[in-house]
Amino acid sequence: MIVRELELDLDAFEGPFDLLLALVLKEELGLRDVDLAAIVAAFLERLADREELDLEACGEFLVLIAALLELKARALFPEEEAELAELDPEEAAEELARRLVEYRRAKEAAVWLRERLASEGDRYFRLGPSPLAPKFEIPLAPRDPAELANVLRLLAKEPPDVSLSHMALRFPPVSQFLDRFRALLRRRSRFDFETEVAELTRLEQASAFLAMLELRRAGELAIDQAAPFAPIRVSRLAKENPVRDERTDAWTVRSA
Amino acid sequence: MDRPLRLIPTDPLDRLARTIEALLVVSSTPLPVEDLAAAADDAPERVEEALRLVADRFAEERSGIVLEHVAGGWAFRAGREEAEACARLFERPAQRNLSQAALETLAIVAYLGPCSRPDIARIRGVAADSAVANLLDRGLIAEAGRDSVAGGAIRYRTTPLFERVFGLESLSELPRLDDVGADAAEIRDRLHTVAERRSA
Amino acid sequence: MDRPLRLIPTDPLDRLARTIEALLVVSSTPLPVEDLAAAADDAPERVEEALRLVADRFAEERSGIVLEHVAGGWAFRAGREEAEACARLFERPAQRNLSQAALETLAIVAYLGPCSRPDIARIRGVAADSAVANLLDRGLIAEAGRDSVAGGAIRYRTTPLFERVFGLESLSELPRLDDVGADAAEIRDRLHTVAERRSA
């Protein structure tokens, strides 16, 4: 099974997985609109159709979906970028899963509300006051003027300091790694992805990963993994006639 | 009409009477016969006839709900015997409470002097329309001319009733807010600064 | 009590039922049993009993007016059969054309309880300002104080009107969303696997 050719039928997108990846990388498709769980479901369905477990496909899929999740996480809470970057990967994964589940629930609940609205649509009731209801002068109980001072104090309360640390946190441009990997593959025919990015920050690793996917999509390199979770080996692909997408160098992944 | 078959025998006039009951219980204004006829999709004469059935069903001493013909048309009201119970209902403490939005609006108008809705919204960070309407209704604020700038929005001030409710001889007796600002201008500046930061 | 002497024989429970009818017809919101009891000056158990009489009198297909338990209280509404006639006369501003964004926001507020615009934006991944303003306008959500922790952002809750429009006896009637739980566990497991791998 070739993961890239996995056919998807989502609300926001219909087509093969690799086209979705390309559109996301080019920012032509907002990840916010993409139901990643549905992609997982589609993959699992395909997997279930096969008699043997396709370990290679599983590994590739996991890596791809993880990258998308990370990107989506950044889109879902950009203001917490710094905070999230400081979490260790396990915490970040937990936090991300929690957010995705919450959003998923909200969407499910919205569907339920819409159905409910349709089924309860024939219940009419009065929205305003009763036309002939007696008018009563409602005496107001005495109030303490300190209440007024207190609500104004709350209104004047300094909001908590907004962390500005994320201003320094730019998503490194993918193009930087496109160049770097191309240069690397001119010198060596293959390299180990993990070793190559080991010294980088998580954000840089994410960019590097996207660059690697993009180069493979363009047919400039091949990715090989002996087994799921085994090191990802990147090797040069001899290309007779390399046609480079002109936009490639210009891409940067949006920094929130 | 594709109503499901029902086993309850329905005299057509009785059917129309039920429709009229429904329309009257949903309306917040008295309904003239023409409106009832248009909504029920029936003739005004038949509606008048059906109204007699409804009036018979909802009569004083027979039902707690009474059908009444007033200037604007037909409407339900509470039976006369239930006046006491209705009075107790409307005096419920819940009706007397001021919401957070109302209290904030009141505090802003009291401390800063006449303010327009946009002024209040700017400080609160959200529209204050329903709070202002509510306070006007209760007589705690009143109109105080128009803003000379800002497109001439209506400004509001607190009323003598406000001072009575809060036990103040005058606005100068409001608790001091030195920690927020020395005078109204300073307090206003401070509130604007914080509001901008909050919405950033 | 100084009620005039009347010659009509009155079963006391029937008398209480009439009072309840009157209270329900003048009230703008559903009335809980306790409020009915306080206004009728009677015991809650007796009110419950009398409510059964009223429910029997005002039942679907029997009367154009129907008694229902909704939003934590009792209220009259039009019978379902009369929806067509009602639709000719009355607008339904609260429920018309609710956008997907508004429904998701409503769902978040309903399920999480009081929450602020930043809370909603965090879950939906996009700013919620216009959806919140829209729901406030329709009266489906209302302010519920300020978040004292997160910079005093205003928090919102659903209103009784929300429960009424959606025909809910209370918020606890919202369905549990367990069915997404399985997916959630799966997503979490997979993320953990990847996380472990990356941190190794």
Side-chain angles (χ1 to χ4, degrees):
Chain A
M1 162 162 59
I2 301 167
V3 173
R4 282 169 297 139
E5 289 170 5
L6 179 67
E7 276 297 323
L8 299 170
D9 184 7
L10 313 173
D11 288 346
F13 173 84
E14 206 182 319
F17 194 10
D18 69 339
L19 178 59
L20 176 114
L21 277 174
L23 291 175
V24 166
L25 287 172
K26 290 179 185 177
E27 298 184 21
E28 283 168 17
L29 179 66
L31 257 182
R32 276 171 189 174
D33 304 324
V34 179
D35 185 352
L36 294 183
I39 300 179
V40 175
F43 176 74
L44 290 178
E45 263 168 37
R46 177 79 76 84
L47 210 55
D49 289 344
R50 305 172 70 89
E51 290 186 357
E52 272 180 67
L53 186 60
D54 187 337
L55 287 177
E56 192 176 344
C58 287
E60 183 181 8
F61 180 77
L62 268 182
V63 180
L64 291 176
I65 200 80
L68 284 179
L69 280 168
E70 182 156 358
L71 280 181
K72 182 158 183 175
R74 296 171 54 80
L76 282 175
F77 33 112
E79 78 277 19
E80 288 168 47
E81 218 170 75
E83 199 183 305
L84 193 74
E86 282 156 16
L87 297 176
D88 72 47
E90 191 163 340
E91 285 169 347
E94 183 62 35
E95 177 63 17
L96 175 54
R98 200 178 62 75
R99 291 282 162 83
L100 288 172
V101 168
E102 266 181 1
Y103 182 53
R104 189 66 189 273
R105 288 212 162 112
K107 281 183 84 168
E108 297 274 326
V111 168
W112 186 83
L113 286 177
R114 190 180 288 289
E115 285 166 0
R116 184 85 183 174
L117 210 49
S119 67
E120 298 298 313
D122 55 358
R123 292 166 53 264
Y124 276 80
F125 51 89
R126 197 181 62 232
L127 288 168
S130 181
L132 303 179
K135 299 268 183 291
F136 288 95
E137 199 61 47
I138 302 157
L140 277 153
R143 311 278 300 217
D144 183 353
E147 284 181 87
L148 296 171
N150 289 340
V151 291
L152 220 54
R153 274 199 189 91
L154 183 59
L155 274 176
K157 200 172 138 190
E158 197 74 23
D161 258 348
V162 179
S163 162
L164 296 178
S165 58
H166 66 281
M167 297 297 282
L169 194 95
R170 310 282 306 180
F171 207 114
V174 173
S175 60
Q176 179 190 320
F177 292 100
L178 291 175
D179 295 344
R180 179 165 159 176
F181 288 156
R182 282 194 187 112
L184 197 62
L185 285 174
R186 275 197 292 273
R187 296 200 305 274
R188 290 154 54 184
S189 62
R190 55 194 298 149
F191 65 87
D192 184 277
F193 180 75
E194 268 83 353
T195 317
E196 199 50 41
V197 301
E199 303 292 311
L200 304 178
T201 67
R202 285 180 68 239
L203 290 175
E204 288 168 332
Q205 287 179 354
S207 275
F209 189 77
L210 293 171
M212 175 180 72
L213 295 182
E214 179 49 33
L215 287 172
R216 188 182 69 166
R217 201 188 64 87
E220 294 184 41
L221 55 75
I223 301 174
D224 182 45
Q225 198 173 22
F229 313 125
I232 299 172
R233 301 217 171 274
V234 181
S235 47
R236 181 169 58 205
L237 215 60
K239 265 188 102 183
E240 286 92 48
N241 189 15
V243 183
R244 267 179 44 194
D245 186 325
E246 282 175 12
R247 278 172 297 181
T248 304
D249 287 333
W251 297 349
T252 51
V253 174
R254 182 188 293 126
S255 176
Chain B
M1 295 225 262
D2 50 358
R3 293 236 175 74
L5 195 67
R6 285 180 309 110
L7 294 175
I8 295 168
T10 42
D11 166 17
L13 200 62
D14 195 63
R15 181 78 200 72
L16 180 57
R18 293 223 303 267
T19 302
I20 290 169
E21 289 168 12
L23 293 167
L24 291 176
V25 92
V26 173
S27 180
S28 47
T29 55
L31 293 174
V33 169
E34 309 81 70
D35 285 8
L36 288 169
D41 198 18
D42 214 320
E45 306 75 52
R46 292 235 319 142
V47 168
E48 303 252 19
E49 227 179 311
L51 273 166
R52 277 194 287 278
L53 277 186
V54 180
D56 195 50
R57 211 173 286 169
F58 296 98
E60 206 74 69
E61 316 228 325
R62 188 169 303 164
S63 153
I65 305 171
V66 174
L67 180 69
E68 173 109 346
H69 189 216
V70 292
W74 296 88
F76 283 133
R77 64 166 169 82
R80 283 196 199 93
E81 291 200 324
E82 321 302 343
E84 246 180 87
C86 291
R88 278 193 292 265
L89 180 72
F90 286 106
E91 281 165 11
R92 277 178 307 167
Q95 304 254 357
R96 291 192 213 160
N97 280 345
L98 289 173
S99 67
Q100 173 79 9
L103 210 55
E104 285 178 5
T105 303
L106 213 45
I108 291 167
V109 176
Y111 275 94
L112 302 186
C115 294
S116 65
R117 280 174 212 235
D119 288 341
I120 299 163
R122 182 176 166 197
I123 291 170
R124 295 196 58 232
V126 287
D129 296 4
S130 70
V132 166
N134 180 281
L135 292 170
L136 278 170
D137 240 24
R138 292 162 177 251
L140 292 171
I141 60 172
E143 293 189 10
R146 283 181 183 273
D147 207 329
S148 50
V149 265
I154 294 171
R155 302 202 297 173
Y156 302 91
R157 56 167 174 76
T158 53
T159 59
L161 174 65
F162 162 79
E163 290 169 23
R164 272 207 302 286
V165 166
F166 281 87
L168 303 165
E169 294 274 328
S170 77
L171 288 181
S172 63
E173 273 185 36
L174 282 167
R176 298 203 46 90
L177 275 174
D178 290 332
D179 46 330
V180 180
D183 56 21
E186 260 191 55
I187 295 173
R188 183 189 298 267
D189 283 351
R190 167 80 183 158
L191 290 172
H192 282 166
T193 312
V194 174
E196 269 153 37
R197 294 199 49 186
R198 190 178 288 129
S199 65
Chain C
M1 292 221 265
D2 51 1
R3 291 235 178 76
L5 195 69
R6 284 179 308 108
L7 293 174
I8 293 169
T10 41
D11 167 17
L13 200 62
D14 195 62
R15 181 77 200 72
L16 180 57
R18 292 221 304 269
T19 303
I20 290 170
E21 289 169 11
L23 292 169
L24 294 177
V25 93
V26 296
S27 177
S28 309
T29 54
L31 294 173
V33 169
E34 310 81 66
D35 287 11
L36 286 167
D41 197 17
D42 213 319
E45 303 76 53
R46 292 234 320 141
V47 167
E48 304 239 22
E49 230 178 306
L51 273 166
R52 278 195 286 277
L53 281 186
V54 180
D56 196 52
R57 214 171 285 169
F58 296 98
E60 205 79 65
E61 316 225 327
R62 186 170 304 165
S63 155
I65 303 172
V66 170
L67 178 70
E68 70 173 349
H69 191 238
V70 71
W74 294 90
F76 283 137
R77 61 164 168 83
R80 286 179 187 261
E81 286 200 324
E82 318 303 340
E84 217 179 301
C86 289
R88 290 195 199 102
L89 202 55
F90 305 109
E91 266 228 282
R92 325 194 71 189
Q95 53 260 66
R96 230 190 30 232
N97 302 329
L98 275 171
S99 67
Q100 181 64 22
L103 279 171
E104 282 176 17
T105 302
L106 201 50
I108 291 168
V109 177
Y111 273 91
L112 294 191
C115 54
S116 65
R117 278 187 276 193
D119 290 338
I120 298 163
R122 209 167 289 143
I123 294 175
R124 292 198 50 236
V126 286
D129 296 10
S130 73
V132 166
N134 184 293
L135 293 170
L136 278 169
D137 255 10
R138 295 168 186 252
L140 294 173
I141 63 172
E143 289 185 25
R146 284 180 187 269
D147 192 334
S148 53
V149 200
I154 291 176
R155 303 202 296 172
Y156 301 93
R157 57 168 172 74
T158 53
T159 59
L161 177 64
F162 161 75
E163 290 170 48
R164 243 193 138 176
V165 163
F166 286 85
L168 302 169
E169 290 196 15
S170 75
L171 288 183
S172 62
E173 226 191 304
L174 288 169
R176 292 171 56 90
L177 292 171
D178 284 342
D179 46 333
V180 298
D183 278 350
E186 199 172 286
I187 295 170
R188 185 171 291 129
D189 284 352
R190 278 165 188 272
L191 282 167
H192 270 310
T193 316
V194 177
E196 276 157 29
R197 169 83 199 111
R198 296 187 92 211
S199 60

